[in-house]
Amino acid sequence: MAETGDGSRLPSPLDVLTSDVHSRLEFHKYAYIDCVGIKNALDCVIEEKVKLQQEQNAIVQLAAEKDGLTKKNEELVAEIKSLKEKLQANESSNLLQGSGFQQSQSGRAQTGSMQKRKRQSGDEDADEHELMEGLSGMDNPDQGLSTEHEGARREISDIHSTLIKGFIDISNTGGRNIAIKYIGQLDDRPFLPACLKKLPPKEAQKKSSELYHFWQEQIMNPEWNPFNTVTVEGITKIVDVSDEKLQELCAAWGEEVYKAVVNCLTEIHESGNLRDRTIVPELWNFKGKRKATISESIEYVCSQVKRLSDTKNRRTRRAR
């Protein structure tokens, strides 16, 4: 009889099916893990590709900006060169005018001497004819120099206007030596601190605004003329410090507000804008506390263009 022990028992169909299912589950489990790993790797590749594309686009954009800046820089350099040539031409015109004036004076002296000699010789007709010729000869050089001088003045005025327009287009951020100052516009900075010394913060804010606008209107009023040029201890003062309104302002709101109004009035007087009392933009040297000359304004523009160009070049090199 055959032995029927456990070791010789054949697996049942259920055991075979169970083992097969277990194997398939293990296969799919590892396949899923591999799939997730592949997906993560693919995501990393895609992300890296996007980053590289963005960097490439940034480099292309910087290169385009550099080209545009270089072109603009060349245009500015050419314009500045043209402006300098016009200024040099104007200086030469001034020198020629001085020379022409001397020649005119010399011509007048020679004509006078000639006239005297002719009169002494009794030839009055010849004297009159010679005198008219001399005067005619003198008139033409003076007229030519005057026309040249007027043309140079117009060119300088155009340069000045162009510079003002250019500086207005540039926002006036702090720290600039050369910028636009609006002559006739009152400085509002001292008003709030002066009001805070006497009023609560909310009331001070409102009062400072009212006070500022009131004194701006006073400054713009052509009928108010608190001007009286006097020299005190070697210092020339244009504004009449004994003016009743100014004295009341100083007593009520302090020295700083008073100085702001006086300084604004002084600038208006020095600019020759007393009749209109309009706010006028002017090139201003804030470091020197005075009007900026055309030459130093052009030099400032050149330095700013060079600084901007250097900054763009550094950024382009870093991007690469």
Side-chain angles (χ1 to χ4, degrees):
M1 177 181 284
E3 296 181 358
T4 59
D6 292 338
S8 61
R9 186 174 62 87
L10 295 173
S12 66
L14 182 61
D15 291 337
V16 173
L17 181 61
T18 301
S19 176
D20 184 57
V21 169
H22 180 73
S23 298
R24 289 176 181 275
L25 287 174
E26 287 295 316
F27 173 78
H28 286 294
K29 176 183 176 181
Y30 288 113
Y32 174 75
I33 292 172
D34 291 340
C35 182
V36 170
I38 293 171
K39 182 179 181 300
N40 291 336
L42 184 61
D43 289 341
C44 291
V45 171
I46 293 173
E47 184 179 353
E48 187 67 24
K49 181 181 178 182
V50 171
K51 287 182 179 179
L52 289 173
Q53 186 63 42
Q54 290 175 346
E55 291 179 358
Q56 182 66 27
N57 293 340
I59 291 173
V60 172
Q61 184 178 359
L62 285 172
E65 290 179 357
K66 180 184 177 183
D67 292 340
L69 182 63
T70 302
K71 183 178 179 181
K72 187 175 181 180
N73 186 28
E74 291 173 354
E75 292 175 353
L76 286 172
V77 169
E79 185 176 355
I80 289 168
K81 182 179 178 181
S82 175
L83 293 176
K84 286 184 175 180
E85 289 175 354
K86 288 181 179 179
L87 286 174
Q88 290 173 355
N90 178 58
E91 291 175 357
S92 300
S93 175
N94 290 337
L95 291 174
L96 286 173
Q97 184 183 19
S99 175
F101 178 77
Q102 291 177 355
Q103 291 176 0
S104 176
Q105 294 294 328
S106 175
R108 289 190 180 95
Q110 291 175 1
T111 302
S113 177
M114 186 184 299
Q115 181 181 7
K116 185 176 180 181
R117 288 196 302 270
K118 292 288 184 179
R119 284 178 179 173
Q120 287 176 351
S121 65
D123 193 357
E124 294 182 356
D125 292 338
D127 173 64
E128 183 178 354
H129 179 71
E130 197 72 33
L131 178 61
M132 293 301 294
E133 285 184 352
L135 289 174
S136 177
M138 286 189 294
D139 285 342
N140 290 333
D142 286 346
Q143 185 177 359
L145 286 171
S146 177
T147 303
E148 272 189 37
H149 184 61
E150 184 63 29
R153 287 181 62 183
R154 281 197 300 269
E155 288 182 358
I156 291 176
S157 178
D158 291 342
I159 294 169
H160 185 255
S161 300
T162 302
L163 284 169
I164 288 177
K165 184 179 181 301
F167 273 89
I168 289 176
D169 292 339
I170 303 171
S171 59
N172 281 348
T173 56
R176 290 186 174 181
N177 291 335
I178 309 295
I180 291 295
K181 179 180 177 65
Y182 290 90
I183 304 299
Q185 182 170 303
L186 183 59
D187 185 1
D188 63 345
R189 290 175 295 179
F191 285 84
L192 182 58
C195 292
L196 286 171
K197 292 179 181 178
K198 297 189 176 185
L199 299 170
K202 289 185 179 180
E203 294 182 21
Q205 187 76 31
K206 181 179 178 182
K207 184 63 179 177
S208 67
S209 178
E210 292 175 353
L211 195 64
Y212 170 79
H213 286 96
F214 172 80
W215 282 101
Q216 183 67 71
E217 290 176 359
Q218 295 298 309
I219 290 171
M220 294 291 99
N221 182 10
E223 296 180 1
W224 184 43
N225 290 287
F227 301 103
N228 183 24
T229 304
V230 294
T231 302
V232 180
E233 297 180 356
I235 301 174
T236 301
K237 296 183 178 181
I238 296 173
V239 177
D240 185 5
V241 294
S242 63
D243 179 81
E244 184 177 350
K245 286 184 179 180
L246 293 176
Q247 289 297 318
E248 291 176 358
L249 173 65
C250 186
W253 298 104
E255 187 74 15
E256 294 302 316
V257 172
Y258 164 81
K259 284 183 179 179
V261 174
V262 169
N263 289 340
C264 189
L265 288 168
T266 302
E267 290 170 1
I268 290 175
H269 187 280
E270 290 176 346
S271 69
N273 197 26
L274 291 176
R275 184 171 298 177
D276 295 336
R277 298 285 182 97
T278 54
I279 296 176
V280 179
E282 184 58 77
L283 296 170
W284 197 261
N285 186 324
F286 284 89
K287 186 176 181 180
K289 297 180 179 180
R290 56 172 173 79
K291 285 184 180 181
T293 64
I294 292 178
S295 297
E296 63 188 0
S297 300
I298 293 173
E299 288 176 2
Y300 180 79
V301 170
C302 290
S303 67
Q304 294 301 302
V305 170
K306 184 179 183 301
R307 184 182 64 82
L308 182 60
S309 179
D310 292 343
T311 302
K312 288 289 185 181
N313 289 335
R314 286 196 295 270
R315 289 178 180 174
T316 303
R317 285 196 294 270
R318 289 197 195 102
R320 291 176 181 174

